[in-house]
Amino acid sequence: MCGIVAAVSSRNIVPILVQGLQRLEYRGYDSCGVAVYADGLKRARSTARVSELQQQVDSEHIAGGTGIAHTRWATHGVPAVHNAHPHFSHGTGPASASRPGKIALVHNGIIENHDELRAALQARGYVFESQTDTEVIVHLMDSLYDGDLFEALKATVAQLHGAYAIAAFCKDEPHRVVGARAGSPLILGVGAGADHGETFLASDAMALAGVTDQIVYLEEGDLVDLQLGKYWIFDRQHQRAEREVRTVHAHSGAAELGPYRHYMQKEIFEQPRAIADTLEGINGIVPELFGDDAYRTFKDIDSVLILACGTSYYSGCTAKYWLEAIAGIPTQVEVASEYRYRTSVPNPRTLVVTITQSGETADTLAALRHAQSLGMTQTLTICNVSTSAMVRECKLAYITRAGVEIGVASTKAFTAQLAGLFLLALALAQSKGRLSEEAEAGHLKALRHLPAALQAVLALEPQVISWSEDFAKKENALFLGRGMHYPIALEGALKLKEISYIHAEAYPAGELKHGPLALVTSAMPIVTVAPNDALLEKLKSNMQEVRARGGVLYVLADADSRIENSEGVHVIRMPEHYGALSPLLHVVPLQLLAYHTACARGTDVDKPRNLAKSVTVE
């Protein structure tokens, strides 16, 4: 979501700040800005792309050794320059709106008590220029400032309710940046160049790629004081804290497009490699794939609770079929943002599984903590970022190796999650004595063949492009699937609406006659996921229901499913039937369909409107 980059240096830091914002563009944003100390506070802000901000910076000759920068995804207030970060304090008194105060600040997260704080500050004479909750923080900090910026930060966060990652500097202390985090990620970067005495803050290590690989992951409640060549970290009790400095290789090359038109297309075609990397080194199914304590944990649990959001939720819905069919373990899948707010029945013998690409998804983290507060302490995450908050807070983990995913609409992270979840089903089955040697060998063989199978599916792209030409003219679509392919239909519908803005819904095919069939006309394309499994004949009957009402079918059929092209029935044949792993293959044409339909409609594929990559606020 929102991105932060901040730095203290003896050289001009603006190029690094702007480059950091460019590295964070993949998270999604609708405005951006940078502020530096240059004999006072100076800033540039834009509702366009970071490239336009760069032009402002160049034309206005903005330069300085201390600065903060931000990409904003709007929560409070519309996307507009006056709502863009960084925000300046304005002091008090009748002329305050026209004269900047002392402090510049950027913020990720949501301050829940901002209305109450705003009213109190307005009563003291503070003038607000934006609708943001962030401006409340900078004015509050100004009101508490008495010559020491770090002390003002401590006093400020003590009054904040909600989630935040904050970076700020003051014109009266020009070589100092302070920061704090609670419920929103923030890292500290230790500069490699001793000549400049640099220290950094950022919301993501990717922002500092090529600048430093020495990263400190701040913990919940931490505050940090950055000065030239040194830093201090304090915990939530304001006690000095030591945090490990890790070497993190956030390769900037991952953000290069190469021969592809968009990052999403690049990432769709990276899936064979992503799956191969995710499965690398697996020669047998053992619980220890998920951590040293996994065997004992798996033996003790009697059910699974999966918590996730969006695309990750659909991977969990697919995994439910595997966990129950292969491992014989009752499994519940919950939307993370709903789970924490409802009364549920806790079971301490439940394995709580979180699924998240970033490992910083606010709703999923909060749901995990809620489950832990109910006494469900057996926790495991499937995550793509080994250094994330989610991995640190769960007892067990499986780290997927999809690599950096830039496009907002998840593709390779989703299939890598499915691969990790399939391994989990096998490992749980093995620990429960339900996985024979013959079955294990068969599943391992199928997993090893996945990259090649995915390559064969990607070769279907020209046929999918033909479909996309029809879909680009539509405003609505239905997706159908049965069994473990119903979540794949849900994911296909989500992809189409995310990036093409076509309204799309998915249903279990058997539910058509219970309502959705009323929508079916020749103007409503129906995408059907049709593997050659036990439900195929039932699915064919559902397809006939569509054709009888004039609906037009677009069918992803296995080669041996005996579904033929005919009037109103368009068939793409998958290269082979893939059994339990079929969902990983069938989702790929749906990703390509969404991508090429969006291209045909001229939308911003990698940065769809209103959406963010990493959702770090509730």
Side-chain angles (χ1 to χ4, degrees):
M1 236 167 159
C2 305
I4 288 174
V5 194
V8 178
S9 177
S10 59
R11 62 170 166 162
N12 176 25
I13 211 70
V14 172
I16 289 176
L17 296 178
V18 174
Q19 181 188 68
L21 295 187
Q22 291 170 333
R23 301 270 189 241
L24 296 179
E25 283 190 287
Y26 75 96
R27 296 165 70 104
Y29 67 104
D30 44 48
S31 63
C32 53
V34 60
V36 297
Y37 173 79
D39 296 323
L41 305 182
K42 196 167 185 180
R43 72 181 168 191
R45 297 183 292 178
S46 173
T47 55
R49 294 300 181 203
V50 174
S51 57
E52 198 277 339
L53 180 70
Q54 177 71 69
Q55 293 173 14
Q56 278 194 55
V57 166
D58 293 342
S59 65
E60 298 175 24
H61 306 293
I62 294 175
T66 300
I68 54 178
H70 191 264
T71 51
R72 174 180 184 254
W73 186 81
T75 55
H76 297 72
V78 299
V81 170
H82 68 276
N83 286 326
H85 302 211
H87 287 286
F88 289 170
S89 63
H90 292 290
T92 58
S96 62
S98 60
R99 65 173 175 80
K102 298 176 180 294
I103 299 171
L105 181 143
V106 294
H107 159 238
N108 292 351
I110 291 177
I111 304 304
E112 295 172 358
N113 61 331
H114 70 96
D115 283 335
E116 170 191 333
L117 293 171
R118 183 188 299 264
L121 289 162
Q122 286 174 328
R124 295 182 57 181
Y126 282 89
V127 176
F128 285 78
E129 295 184 338
S130 77
Q131 290 81 48
T132 67
D133 52 345
T134 302
E135 195 179 1
V136 170
I137 308 174
V138 74
H139 290 327
L140 178 60
M141 202 164 170
D142 181 277
S143 74
L144 296 168
Y145 183 75
D146 189 25
D148 189 320
L149 188 64
F150 188 74
E151 291 299 319
L153 176 68
K154 286 199 298 184
T156 297
V157 299
Q159 296 188 43
L160 301 181
H161 301 159
Y164 53 80
I166 294 168
F169 71 90
C170 178
K171 71 175 185 178
D172 291 348
E173 301 176 69
H175 300 298
R176 188 183 202 184
V177 168
V178 298
R181 68 147 297 187
S184 199
L186 192 66
I187 64 164
L188 185 154
V190 183
D195 293 344
H196 303 295
E198 294 172 346
T199 48
F200 305 91
L201 288 178
S203 50
D204 188 326
M206 185 72 171
L208 304 179
V211 178
T212 181
D213 60 4
Q214 299 301 291
I215 302 297
V216 177
Y217 287 88
L218 299 177
E219 296 186 8
E220 187 74 1
D222 278 357
L223 297 95
V224 62
D225 185 354
L226 274 60
Q227 298 182 31
L228 281 171
K230 52 192 174 182
Y231 63 88
W232 298 266
I233 300 171
F234 297 81
D235 63 21
R236 65 173 77 232
Q237 282 79 39
H238 300 165
Q239 300 299 309
R240 281 288 301 274
E242 296 295 328
R243 304 285 184 237
E244 179 186 359
V245 180
R246 306 186 189 189
T247 301
V248 176
H249 299 292
H251 298 294
S252 59
E256 302 301 326
L257 264 176
Y260 298 98
R261 289 177 62 189
H262 299 92
Y263 289 114
M264 183 178 178
Q265 184 187 30
K266 175 176 181 276
E267 287 151 10
I268 289 171
F269 278 83
E270 284 176 342
Q271 286 177 112
R273 180 202 56 76
I275 296 298
D277 289 349
T278 295
L279 299 174
E280 185 180 5
I282 295 174
N283 299 311
I285 303 301
V286 292
E288 286 73 22
L289 291 170
F290 297 86
D292 293 340
D293 199 34
Y295 179 76
R296 185 194 61 79
T297 299
F298 289 0
K299 291 289 284 186
D300 288 347
I301 63 103
D302 61 13
S303 62
V304 172
L305 169 64
I306 296 176
L307 304 171
C309 299
T311 287
S312 295
Y313 171 75
Y314 296 145
S315 71
C317 291
T318 307
K320 174 183 171 73
Y321 288 90
W322 293 332
L323 288 162
E324 295 193 340
I326 298 173
I329 295 178
T331 301
Q332 186 177 357
V333 188
E334 294 261 7
V335 175
S337 58
E338 289 292 311
Y339 169 72
R340 61 185 291 214
Y341 292 117
R342 74 174 187 84
T343 302
S344 58
V345 181
N347 172 10
R349 295 188 65 192
T350 293
L351 178 65
V352 178
V353 177
T354 63
I355 311 170
T356 164
Q357 182 269 329
S358 68
E360 305 289 351
T361 307
D363 285 319
T364 310
L365 279 167
L368 168 69
R369 293 163 187 159
H370 177 66
Q372 291 170 325
S373 74
L374 297 176
M376 294 191 290
T377 59
Q378 308 300 333
T379 58
L380 181 151
T381 189
I382 306 292
C383 183
N384 196 45
V385 181
S386 61
T387 53
S388 64
M390 192 68 74
V391 173
R392 295 196 299 272
E393 294 190 26
C394 287
K395 288 176 61 177
L396 305 173
Y398 191 83
I399 308 302
T400 57
R401 299 173 187 164
V404 174
E405 190 174 65
I406 304 295
V408 167
S410 181
T411 53
K412 63 177 181 175
F414 175 73
T415 47
Q417 287 171 353
L418 289 177
L421 288 162
F422 190 76
L423 286 173
L424 177 61
L426 297 180
L428 283 168
Q430 196 242 35
S431 68
K432 301 293 185 183
R434 298 188 176 115
L435 186 69
S436 67
E437 289 186 9
E438 182 182 3
E440 178 182 349
H443 288 309
L444 284 171
K445 181 180 179 181
L447 284 167
R448 293 188 186 106
H449 182 57
L450 263 178
L454 285 165
Q455 288 285 12
V457 175
L458 288 166
L460 300 172
E461 185 181 30
Q463 296 176 61
V464 178
I465 292 172
S466 176
W467 281 14
S468 72
E469 293 166 357
D470 293 340
F471 275 74
K473 304 167 191 172
K474 308 296 183 181
E475 294 301 328
N476 302 281
L478 286 177
F479 287 68
L480 304 178
R482 300 205 71 150
M484 62 185 175
H485 293 86
Y486 167 51
I488 298 307
L490 285 164
E491 172 63 8
L494 177 63
K495 284 293 156 285
L496 189 68
K497 54 190 160 192
E498 277 182 315
I499 62 170
S500 75
Y501 314 146
I502 293 172
H503 174 248
E505 299 295 338
Y507 290 90
E511 283 294 292
L512 261 183
K513 53 188 172 291
H514 296 289
L517 201 57
L519 296 172
V520 173
T521 69
S522 59
M524 174 76 81
I526 314 292
V527 180
T528 307
V529 183
N532 189 10
D533 58 17
L535 290 169
L536 179 62
E537 293 308 315
K538 298 288 186 184
L539 183 62
K540 286 182 178 178
S541 297
N542 303 140
M543 292 165 56
Q544 289 303 316
E545 293 168 354
V546 171
R547 287 299 301 130
R549 276 95 182 154
V552 180
L553 289 161
Y554 294 79
V555 186
L556 292 172
D558 285 344
D560 54 355
S561 60
R562 300 184 305 281
I563 299 173
E564 305 296 333
N565 280 291
S566 60
E567 184 179 355
V569 181
H570 307 278
V571 179
I572 290 178
R573 298 203 177 281
M574 301 290 285
E576 57 186 305
H577 177 56
Y578 220 66
L581 289 167
S582 175
L584 280 88
L585 301 187
H586 274 86
V587 77
V588 174
L590 300 182
Q591 295 169 346
L592 288 168
L593 176 62
Y595 171 72
H596 286 292
T597 301
C599 288
R601 288 169 69 95
T603 63
D604 192 342
V605 171
D606 288 328
K607 303 180 185 70
R609 66 190 182 202
N610 304 333
L611 300 180
K613 181 65 181 173
S614 180
V615 185
T616 55
V617 298
E618 183 180 353

